[in-house]
Amino acid sequence: MTVVRREVLTLPGAELGPANPLPPLRPLDEVHELDERSKDDLPLEMARQLGYGPLRSVLPERIRDGYGRDRAPVDLDTIVIENDRLKVTVLPGLGGRIASLFHKPTGCELLYRNPVFQPAAFALNGAWFSGGIEWNIGATGHSALSCAPLHAARVTAPDGGEMLRLWEWERLRDLPFQVDLWLPEGSDFLYVGVRIRNPHEKPAPVYWWSNIAVPEERRVIAPAREAWHFGYERALRRVPVPKFDGADRTYPLNSEYPADYFYEVEDGRRRWITALDENGHGLVQTSTDVLRGRKLFMWGSGTGGRRWQEWLSGPGTGGYAEIQAGLARTQLEHVRLEAEAEISWLEAYGPLSADAGAVHSAGEWGAAVDEVEGRLERVLPRADVEAAYDAWLPHADAEPGQRLAVGSGWGALEVLRTGWKPTGTPFDESTLGEVQAPWRELLETGLFPEPRRVGAPGPSLTAPAWRDMLETAPARPLSEYHLGVAQWHAGDRAQAVRSWERGLELSASDWPFLRCLAVADATDGHRERAADRYTEAFDDLCAERRDGGEAWVAATAALGREAIEALLAAGRAGDARGVWDRLHPATRARGRFRLLESQLLLAERELGAARDVFEAGFEVEDLREGAEAIGEIWAKVAPGEPLPARYDFRMRPESSPSGD
């Protein structure tokens, strides 16, 4: 029989730490944007979806950047789904990630299983980790729920056994979704039913990609002869499969630099992708046709890619590539979900064995595809996947049974506001917590409460309905603060500034408003005024902070970092040093601040001391995918000298039109 049970997984890991208390007002730092010239001659549907619903910020989410790189044993709650063929390990507290897919008859782990838990700044809102199968919803990039808890419960499966349901309210698009996982008795395949619903009166942009990490010593095969290549140079172009620029790119290590290959699967063709080892064994993923896209991501064999691999796990842990499946051709697109509509599909994951000679035959791509497709049809016919979807869909509305994990209270707040009762994914009032309390009071009384003690304001809500409530609420400091954040998110910057200025006049705590006004000044190119406001904001925070507790340290670090950067941009190194000196010692010792210190020393014309920072060594904990700041600062610290390997995270060549 298939069983669903709780377990605990212990790994070396880094603590997630507190979220950044400052609302993310700046535009999204997204490496997957396209140069306008590369959009010429794209298929009409792709071009339309590339321009539809791009995300400009991660509001109302907060940035998760409180983690470090000191690892100690951590206990992660897991939910195991197991039959006599497969054992599936799920992490409900970390986005519902499947950490392991273990095939019992062969004794093989089908996924790349990261031996550590190491957050890194790859998610839209920061913290993310590599390995396993992740569910990406929201917008281009890794989900803001990558390191967040989901609701989880037992549900009756289509075959009468047990099924695991994961669900949450995705806040970037304000859409509820669910992921149902079940193993039919005796099955070698895990079935995954996914549903996204739009409860609103307007269409919504939707994004979904299932990312599957596999060992990189594989050949990746999908039913396509062309792909769209993205090489982190803001260009998307059609290339042949498997060979491109003189190498077979279906082997991840044949590329020097990281790259994406979005396969052009013909309409009507079965959707699948596989990664097979030298003996023809590995993992296959297939789905119903709604999940149309397939992709290969590789880190490549170059210095930067290898450094990233080591960074995300550790030396000697082996590399990985990702095979992926999504709603559109590419991850740069969003699809339209009509008002009060839903979209759903079924995925299947399991082992596949094919003839190694056919799989790895040089120059016989068509034979390799036919071999894999034939083997897949024998072990899991396409008709069976369609039948499994038809059997699952009526169960998508089944009410959950025993609760196994609890997510956030934001869905419950939306249910209170709208009165909508989503069948199958209840957002219980009992999940409302401290961060939702003031918003519930606004909903029920029309007043946004003032805090009882000083500190950073809580999270803002930015959806139009909440903005309307804030606009009609009495003008009090916090309501003006949150109204300004909502107006800024909506693109009404002038009104946002007025709201923050009104709040500043009323508030006893100035620094949250001054910081928002400083961001507005910096955005409009007023460097001196932004620097003045940042200085005033940091002075006010230092006068207000009560102790060295986690919340105050996080606020001081976040505001101090922004203030120093703004002061350096204005050429005011002396004032920047004044901010630096008032940071907590533990903050100054962190890698991201050591890099900032080198910039400060350069501004002070202390070239030798700036180089000493590099020589002493540091690790920028929240280094973002595609970031090149370390190399740029090194070029100033040590002109003409090669970038040391430990700092080389470059994802593209210094000058190359192809990106590979």
Side-chain angles (χ1 to χ4, degrees):
M1 286 183 62
T2 299
V3 297
V4 176
R5 66 178 183 275
R6 290 192 184 100
E7 287 189 0
V8 174
L9 174 65
T10 302
L11 293 175
E15 297 292 338
L16 278 168
N20 190 316
L22 307 181
L25 301 177
R26 289 183 172 83
L28 192 65
D29 182 18
E30 177 51 57
V31 299
H32 295 96
E33 292 182 350
L34 287 182
D35 184 285
E36 286 299 320
R37 290 172 298 178
S38 73
K39 297 181 181 180
D40 297 339
D41 301 321
L42 294 177
L44 183 61
E45 181 189 41
M46 182 189 292
R48 183 175 65 250
Q49 292 182 165
L50 281 168
Y52 176 55
L55 196 67
R56 298 305 180 195
S57 85
V58 297
L59 284 167
E61 292 283 0
R62 289 288 179 90
I63 301 298
R64 300 295 302 269
D65 62 1
Y67 52 86
R69 293 189 60 81
D70 293 330
R71 294 197 283 261
V74 295
D75 292 335
L76 303 177
D77 291 331
T78 70
I79 301 173
V80 170
I81 314 167
E82 187 172 11
N83 66 4
D84 59 332
R85 310 288 293 178
L86 284 175
K87 180 181 178 182
V88 185
T89 303
V90 181
L91 302 173
L94 295 168
R97 181 83 58 102
I98 295 179
S100 171
L101 189 63
F102 183 77
H103 188 233
K104 295 179 181 181
T106 59
C108 291
E109 173 60 56
L110 299 178
L111 305 174
Y112 170 79
R113 185 171 184 174
N114 197 332
V116 304
F117 172 65
Q118 177 56 63
F122 278 56
L124 290 164
N125 64 334
W128 170 89
F129 63 105
S130 65
I133 304 173
E134 58 178 298
W135 318 113
N136 290 303
I137 182 173
T140 299
H142 295 281
S143 172
L145 295 168
S146 293
C147 287
L150 303 189
H151 301 282
R154 300 176 192 269
V155 184
T156 301
D159 61 0
E162 288 191 321
M163 178 166 66
L164 172 63
R165 174 163 300 159
L166 306 167
W167 74 97
E168 197 29 294
W169 194 282
E170 201 285 316
R171 301 176 67 214
L172 298 181
R173 303 300 194 184
D174 261 336
L175 302 176
F177 72 98
Q178 70 189 79
V179 179
D180 288 355
L181 305 101
W182 84 100
L183 283 172
E185 187 174 351
S187 174
D188 279 318
F189 283 85
L190 170 70
Y191 289 146
V192 181
V194 182
R195 177 168 65 167
I196 304 170
R197 288 183 276 189
N198 178 10
H200 307 297
E201 296 178 353
K202 295 181 179 179
V206 169
Y207 172 94
W208 182 280
W209 280 79
S210 301
N211 288 14
I212 309 131
V214 294
E216 65 185 351
E217 300 87 359
R218 300 286 189 270
R219 189 181 202 190
V220 174
I221 302 174
R225 290 190 173 275
E226 292 184 313
W228 296 93
H229 170 266
F230 182 84
Y232 294 85
E233 293 189 309
R234 302 191 185 281
L236 189 67
R237 58 193 178 121
R238 195 192 297 258
V239 299
V241 175
K243 290 187 177 180
F244 164 53
D245 272 2
D248 188 331
R249 307 297 175 163
T250 63
Y251 292 93
L253 290 172
N254 280 356
S255 293
E256 183 177 359
Y257 291 95
D260 299 328
Y261 289 90
F262 300 100
Y263 294 113
E264 186 69 58
V265 181
E266 297 176 3
D267 289 343
R269 191 84 185 252
R270 184 176 185 179
R271 263 59 182 169
W272 57 267
I273 190 167
T274 187
L276 302 178
D277 66 17
E278 60 184 4
N279 298 313
H281 306 312
L283 172 79
V284 67
Q285 187 271 0
T286 187
S287 71
T288 49
D289 291 352
V290 166
L291 203 66
R292 64 172 297 179
R294 293 298 185 275
K295 172 194 162 183
L296 163 63
F297 166 77
M298 76 273 284
W299 282 110
S301 59
T303 304
R306 305 331 293 169
R307 184 69 180 103
W308 272 118
Q309 295 262 31
E310 181 182 73
W311 176 262
L312 295 171
S313 52
T317 55
Y320 74 94
E322 288 181 353
I323 57 175
Q324 306 179 12
L327 285 174
R329 275 188 178 93
T330 74
Q331 288 175 329
L332 286 70
E333 303 168 66
H334 300 91
V335 302
R336 180 185 176 100
L337 183 57
E338 298 297 336
E340 300 178 343
E342 64 180 53
I343 187 170
S344 60
W345 63 90
L346 184 101
E347 305 179 46
Y349 297 83
L352 187 76
S353 292
D355 179 75
V359 166
H360 298 288
S361 176
E364 296 294 336
W365 175 248
V369 170
D370 290 345
E371 165 67 11
V372 171
E373 195 158 54
R375 297 277 183 156
L376 175 60
E377 187 64 20
R378 286 196 287 276
V379 297
L380 185 65
R382 186 178 189 179
D384 286 3
V385 176
E386 297 289 345
Y389 171 74
D390 291 339
W392 163 73
L393 197 56
H395 291 260
D397 285 332
E399 286 305 301
Q402 180 192 13
R403 302 302 168 91
L404 300 173
V406 179
S408 79
W410 295 114
L413 186 67
E414 289 303 316
V415 167
L416 274 181
R417 183 184 67 81
T418 62
W420 183 60
K421 302 294 184 184
T423 54
T425 56
F427 295 96
D428 299 332
E429 193 171 323
S430 62
T431 62
L432 291 166
E434 183 179 352
V435 291
Q436 289 87 32
W439 297 96
R440 182 176 187 175
E441 187 168 334
L442 173 66
L443 178 65
E444 295 176 347
T445 69
L447 296 172
F448 197 93
E450 289 298 302
R452 297 179 181 178
R453 58 184 182 274
V454 295
S460 300
L461 291 180
T462 56
W466 293 105
R467 188 173 72 243
D468 291 345
M469 280 185 262
L470 289 167
E471 286 176 344
T472 58
R476 301 163 75 178
L478 267 189
S479 59
E480 293 296 318
Y481 168 85
H482 290 297
L483 174 58
V485 174
Q487 291 167 331
W488 182 270
H489 181 256
D492 195 346
R493 299 202 327 226
Q495 285 290 359
V497 168
R498 282 192 281 272
S499 295
W500 290 325
E501 289 175 340
R502 285 195 303 269
L504 182 60
E505 293 175 358
L506 299 169
S507 180
S509 182
D510 293 348
W511 67 267
F513 298 92
L514 289 167
R515 182 266 175 176
C516 290
L517 291 168
V519 173
D521 286 332
T523 302
D524 290 336
H526 304 305
R527 288 188 174 184
E528 281 295 333
R529 194 162 68 196
D532 288 341
R533 278 181 160 152
Y534 266 120
T535 300
E536 190 178 352
F538 194 75
D539 289 346
D540 185 66
L541 171 60
C542 290
E544 183 177 288
R545 66 187 183 193
R546 296 294 183 260
D547 52 45
E550 183 180 80
W552 288 111
V553 170
T556 305
L559 183 57
R561 184 179 183 180
E562 290 187 12
I564 291 172
E565 290 170 346
L567 287 162
L568 291 178
R572 291 162 56 173
D575 292 336
R577 175 62 68 181
V579 173
W580 173 267
D581 290 341
R582 285 177 288 169
L583 296 173
H584 294 88
T587 297
R588 292 198 297 264
R590 302 191 72 173
R592 66 189 66 141
F593 286 89
R594 294 285 285 160
L595 181 64
L596 188 58
E597 182 184 18
S598 70
Q599 294 175 265
L600 177 55
L601 289 165
L602 280 172
E604 294 171 330
R605 303 179 186 273
E606 296 288 346
L607 186 62
R611 179 167 184 143
D612 288 344
V613 173
F614 277 84
E615 297 290 350
F618 58 83
E619 293 183 315
V620 181
E621 301 91 342
D622 61 344
L623 189 67
R624 285 200 68 83
E625 178 185 11
E628 299 177 344
I630 294 179
E632 292 167 357
I633 296 170
W634 172 259
K636 297 175 182 178
V637 168
E641 295 188 32
L643 183 64
R646 68 175 298 176
Y647 300 122
D648 190 351
F649 293 90
R650 289 173 292 191
M651 298 182 70
R652 59 178 181 171
E654 293 185 14
S655 59
S656 167
S658 70
D660 212 327

